[in-house]
Amino acid sequence: MSAGQEQAVGQREFEDFFAGAYGRVLAQVIMLCGSREDAEDVTQEAFLEAYRAWDRIAGYELPEAWAYRVAVQRLWKTHRRRRTGQDRVPDVPVPVRASPEQSAEAREVLRLLAALPPRQRVTMVLFCLHGWSQIEIAKTLRMTRGGVAANVSKARRTLTEALDMAADDTSRHDPFTNSPQTARPSWIRLGRDPVVIALRDTQAWLRAAVEEDPERLARARAALARRQGESR
């Protein structure tokens, strides 16, 4: 196969990756920052980096996870100096199959997330929803492990109280005193924590909303092409 043919194959592989992964990564990043505009910006940057590194990361088991980590790092650079959240629900359409109750609950969780200080919001989403360990979060965000634990605990308490979640057996355990090598405590991994359930349901609702937008992928491809042209 000639160099030109290999390049064409690589381009098609990246296009397939981009089309399949973009909506999922965008939904995850919106959960982190509470703003669709900011999320789209850093997600496009992450996929531009993925495009540049495609020869290397195409062979990874989860290149999507690589792109998400880049998006987290880019987002944190722009958000770490913000003291408060944006206190507004991201501008996304309501999923077709979502009930009014599901949409109301998801929008309330998104509103509460957006109102949290960035450190609390980002650490809680990474830890409780996306399964990062305290050490991974501390290294990526340049925080101490204790700082990560304290921020997650505060954020979780805020959501628990605001959503009036019933106390259960998990409330008597502090997951943040576990070994820092443990990604998440067993009761979170098993899905028994009400905050984790609320976050998971909200992200599923958000992903459906994003992926049902008929112009989403076309806009993203156009934005990525512009960034590719600007970087040459």
Side-chain angles (χ1 to χ4, degrees):
M1 185 181 294
S2 68
Q5 289 173 321
E6 288 180 354
Q7 185 177 9
V9 169
Q11 181 68 34
R12 287 196 298 272
E13 289 177 346
F14 177 79
E15 284 292 332
D16 290 342
F17 163 68
F18 180 75
Y22 178 81
R24 289 190 295 270
V25 174
L26 178 60
Q28 290 176 320
V29 177
I30 292 175
M31 292 288 290
L32 287 172
C33 69
S35 163
R36 179 165 182 166
E37 182 179 351
D38 289 349
E40 286 180 340
D41 190 49
V42 298
T43 301
Q44 288 158 10
E45 288 184 13
F47 276 96
L48 177 60
E49 289 299 315
Y51 175 77
R52 290 169 175 163
W54 188 243
D55 287 347
R56 174 166 56 89
I57 70 170
Y60 287 8
E61 183 178 356
L62 293 172
E64 182 176 325
W66 185 94
Y68 176 64
R69 184 174 292 273
V70 172
V72 171
Q73 293 169 338
R74 295 298 180 90
L75 178 71
W76 190 243
K77 285 181 180 179
T78 62
H79 278 58
R80 62 187 174 189
R81 291 185 176 88
R82 297 183 184 178
R83 291 184 176 272
T84 59
Q86 301 184 45
D87 200 19
R88 61 186 176 87
V89 178
D91 181 19
V92 292
V94 174
V96 173
R97 294 180 179 85
S99 69
E101 292 78 12
Q102 289 172 324
S103 294
E105 290 172 3
R107 287 187 177 279
E108 178 63 7
V109 172
L110 289 171
R111 186 190 69 77
L112 292 168
L113 284 175
L116 289 172
R119 284 177 181 266
Q120 292 183 28
R121 180 177 63 248
V122 173
T123 54
M124 182 178 66
V125 171
L126 290 176
F127 181 78
C128 291
L129 181 60
H130 297 158
W132 289 31
S133 70
Q134 294 172 21
I135 288 180
E136 287 178 298
I137 298 170
K139 182 178 179 180
T140 300
L141 305 187
R142 298 184 179 182
M143 299 171 60
T144 65
R145 190 199 68 80
V148 171
N151 277 279
V152 176
S153 184
K154 290 176 185 176
R156 186 177 177 278
R157 184 165 58 249
T158 296
L159 259 67
T160 300
E161 293 173 355
L163 296 173
D164 194 24
M165 293 173 172
D168 57 18
D169 289 341
T170 66
S171 65
R172 290 193 286 270
H173 301 281
D174 184 357
F176 312 109
T177 60
N178 286 7
S179 167
Q181 281 75 30
T182 303
R184 292 187 291 182
S186 61
W187 54 266
I188 286 184
R189 292 198 302 272
L190 294 173
R192 296 197 298 269
D193 177 51
V195 170
V196 174
I197 293 170
L199 293 173
R200 188 180 298 153
D201 289 348
T202 299
Q203 182 169 274
W205 180 93
L206 187 57
R207 178 180 166 186
V210 167
E211 293 188 336
E212 287 175 10
D213 180 354
E215 299 178 358
R216 165 190 56 86
L217 199 54
R219 288 197 309 270
R221 282 193 174 117
L224 183 62
R226 286 196 300 271
R227 290 174 185 268
Q228 289 170 333
E230 291 167 358
S231 65
R232 288 176 184 148

